[in-house]
């Protein structure tokens, strides 16, 4: 029999599902600031998996992923416990902005939090102690910042074997290996024993159905890998590249102000010397061509076409020879996961 899941103010018995609004702070009026939490405690014992989204308040794709897992999936065969936190940063979500509105604090640099420090760290501490730290595994969903879009990819500390196991199980084509910035949920959670990865997909302010569907497959695959669902299988993405510090990757930046026209889509391969995009002035008389410095994959592209000199345009990562061949092969097949 599975154990009860307890949090500050309540408990959820095995076989029960609880939808709660959990107080993390107070407004200027003294009213509670509450975040939605769904706890699904399986009848049978197993690992505890935490799904989090909207630590940045305008990043919406993850919200739909977490809601769908919590409220549309059948949990009768679940082994273990699912903790679903679809909107971590409620004040930012209400304002539709990335940061906590008070002093523009980044909630995703405030973990593990501190109950006697700033408002951001107090919120982080309430979330972390009650719902993150008690878990074995964490999946934290993000999108690119406003005006940009990311190919679906995973970020995690691949030098930590238990984090690498989660990252591999999510079955994305691209994994960026890094432990993450200090104060980020995935780094602090992983250090506290909750092996956590970040999943990046798409852009802010949108629900992007194909990306959401791919990420949901990743969640199922992680649940299969760790035995939360015995009926599902662990997926293989067809090809995979793990980008670490030694691999070639770069941000292509604008050398001119103007309007950007992209010549390739998010997730596509560009050859060294290819025209990735052009920047033009209002008269289309000045044309600045941005070329790929090496052959690689466009994992981040602009959605907003307006740039100043120095603005980032595209995030380009190199693929090694075998990966390049596997990628090209996948492109000739009808289904891919970009
Ligand atoms: Zn984010």
């Amino acid at each position: 029999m599975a154990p009860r899941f307890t949090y500050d103010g309540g408990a959820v018995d095995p076989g029960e599902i609880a939808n709660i609004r959990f107080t993390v702070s107070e407004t200027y009026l003294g009213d509670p600031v509450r975040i939605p939490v769904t706890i699904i405690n399986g009848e049978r014992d197993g690992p505890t998996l935490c799904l989090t989204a909207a630590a940045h308040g305008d990043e919406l794709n993850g919200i739909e992923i977490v809601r769908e897992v919590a409220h549309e999936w059948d949990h009768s065969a679940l082994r273990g416990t699912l903790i679903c936190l679809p909107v971590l940063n409620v004040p930012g979500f209400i304002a539709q902005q990335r940061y906590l509105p008070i002093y523009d604090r980044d909630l995703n640099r405030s973990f593990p939090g501190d109950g006697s420090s700033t408002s951001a760290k107090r919120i982080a501490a309430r979330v972390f102690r009650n719902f993150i730290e008690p878990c074995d595994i964490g999946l934290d969903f993000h999108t690119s910042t406003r005006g940009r879009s990311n190919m679906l990819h995973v970020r995690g500390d691949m030098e930590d074997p238990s984090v690498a196991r989660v990252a591999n199980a999510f079955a994305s084509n691209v994994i960026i290996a890094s432990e993450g910035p200090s104060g980020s949920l995935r780094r602090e959670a992983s250090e506290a024993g909750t092996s956590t990865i970040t999943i990046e997909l798409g852009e802010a302010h949108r629900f992007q159905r194909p990306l959401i569907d791919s990420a949901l497959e990743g969640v199922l695959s992680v649940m299969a890998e760790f035995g939360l669902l015995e009926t599902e299988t662990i997926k293989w993405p067809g090809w995979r590249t793990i980008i670490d510090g030694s691999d070639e990757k770069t941000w292509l930046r604008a050398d001119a102000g103007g309007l950007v026209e992209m010549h390739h889509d998010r997730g596509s391969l560009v050859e060294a010397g290819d025209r990735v995009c052009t920047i033009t002035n209002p008269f289309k008389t000045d044309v600045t061509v941005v070329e790929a410095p090496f052959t690689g994959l466009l994992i981040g592209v602009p959605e907003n076409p307006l740039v100043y000199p120095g603005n980032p345009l595209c995030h380009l990562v190199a693929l090694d020879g075998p990966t390049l061949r596997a990628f090209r092969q996948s492109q000739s097949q009808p289904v891919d996961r970009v």
Side-chain angles (χ1 to χ4, degrees):
M1 192 75 167
R4 296 182 103 187
F5 181 86
T6 58
Y7 58 91
D8 186 5
V12 184
D13 284 320
E16 279 193 355
I17 297 175
N19 290 311
I20 61 170
R21 293 179 187 270
F22 185 78
T23 299
V24 293
S25 187
E26 290 178 7
T27 70
Y28 293 138
L29 299 170
D31 297 321
V33 173
R34 301 185 301 175
I35 64 168
V37 183
T38 297
I39 300 156
I40 302 150
N41 200 351
E43 279 184 19
R44 296 180 298 167
D45 202 3
T48 304
L49 167 62
C50 185
L51 305 172
T52 49
H56 295 135
D58 60 355
E59 299 182 0
L60 307 185
N61 277 330
I63 296 175
E64 189 53 17
I65 295 162
V66 178
R67 288 199 323 158
E68 214 160 302
V69 171
H71 305 295
E72 290 184 25
W73 286 11
D74 174 9
H75 297 293
S76 52
L78 177 71
R79 273 184 180 274
T81 308
L82 283 180
I83 311 292
C84 300
L85 300 147
V87 187
L88 280 182
N89 177 357
V90 162
F93 175 70
I94 289 168
Q96 273 307 282
Q97 67 181 48
R98 179 178 175 86
Y99 299 127
L100 285 161
I102 308 152
Y103 303 126
D104 272 352
R105 296 267 187 188
D106 189 344
L107 183 60
N108 202 33
R109 298 292 181 275
S110 304
F111 291 101
D114 181 342
S116 56
S117 181
T118 63
S119 63
K121 286 193 173 173
R122 288 179 192 220
I123 292 172
R126 288 280 289 164
V127 171
F128 199 85
R129 277 208 301 276
N130 281 283
F131 301 114
I132 311 287
E133 217 170 18
C135 292
D136 301 302
I137 314 152
L139 303 176
D140 187 29
F141 295 96
H142 286 256
T143 74
S144 195
T145 49
R146 188 175 50 196
R148 316 191 45 77
S149 186
N150 278 338
M151 174 186 179
L152 192 154
H153 68 272
V154 159
R155 298 179 184 182
D157 182 2
M158 298 301 279
E159 288 177 15
D160 179 334
S162 52
V163 175
R165 187 177 164 202
V166 184
N168 287 325
F170 197 85
S172 66
N173 293 119
V174 175
I175 298 172
I176 295 184
S178 73
E179 62 180 347
S182 176
S184 63
L185 177 56
R186 75 174 153 101
R187 175 166 169 170
E188 303 301 336
S190 296
E191 282 182 10
T194 306
S195 304
T196 301
I197 60 169
T198 296
I199 301 97
E200 291 277 348
L201 67 160
E203 60 182 305
H205 302 287
R206 301 273 182 276
F207 277 171
Q208 294 167 289
R209 199 66 237 179
L211 291 169
I212 290 169
D213 286 341
S214 285
L216 285 165
E217 284 180 32
V219 176
L220 265 187
S221 182
V222 168
M223 290 176 75
E225 167 72 24
F226 288 88
L228 286 112
L229 280 177
E230 291 164 321
T231 48
E232 293 298 324
T233 52
I234 303 152
K235 294 184 174 61
W236 163 246
W239 61 273
R240 172 183 290 151
T241 185
I242 298 173
I243 314 287
D244 61 28
S246 66
D247 290 296
E248 211 166 7
K249 58 177 183 295
T250 193
W251 274 97
L252 306 181
R253 287 184 183 273
D255 288 329
L259 297 105
V260 179
E261 184 189 351
M262 285 297 297
H263 305 303
H264 298 272
D265 293 330
R266 177 189 69 214
S268 58
L269 185 78
V270 291
E271 308 282 345
D274 273 2
R275 284 190 332 158
V276 177
C277 58
T278 49
I279 306 169
T280 55
N281 68 11
F283 312 106
K284 288 209 163 193
T285 49
D286 254 346
V287 178
T288 303
V289 176
V290 180
E291 292 182 351
F294 52 82
T295 298
L297 204 59
L298 289 172
I299 64 167
V301 296
E303 293 291 341
N304 181 332
L306 313 180
V307 288
Y308 281 118
N311 280 169
L313 288 166
C314 301
H315 197 185
L316 180 69
V317 300
L319 297 181
D320 62 25
T323 312
L324 212 49
R325 280 195 293 281
F327 175 85
R328 289 197 170 111
Q329 206 172 4
S330 76
Q331 298 301 290
S332 58
Q333 290 163 1
V335 178
D336 67 60
R337 287 173 51 89
V338 294

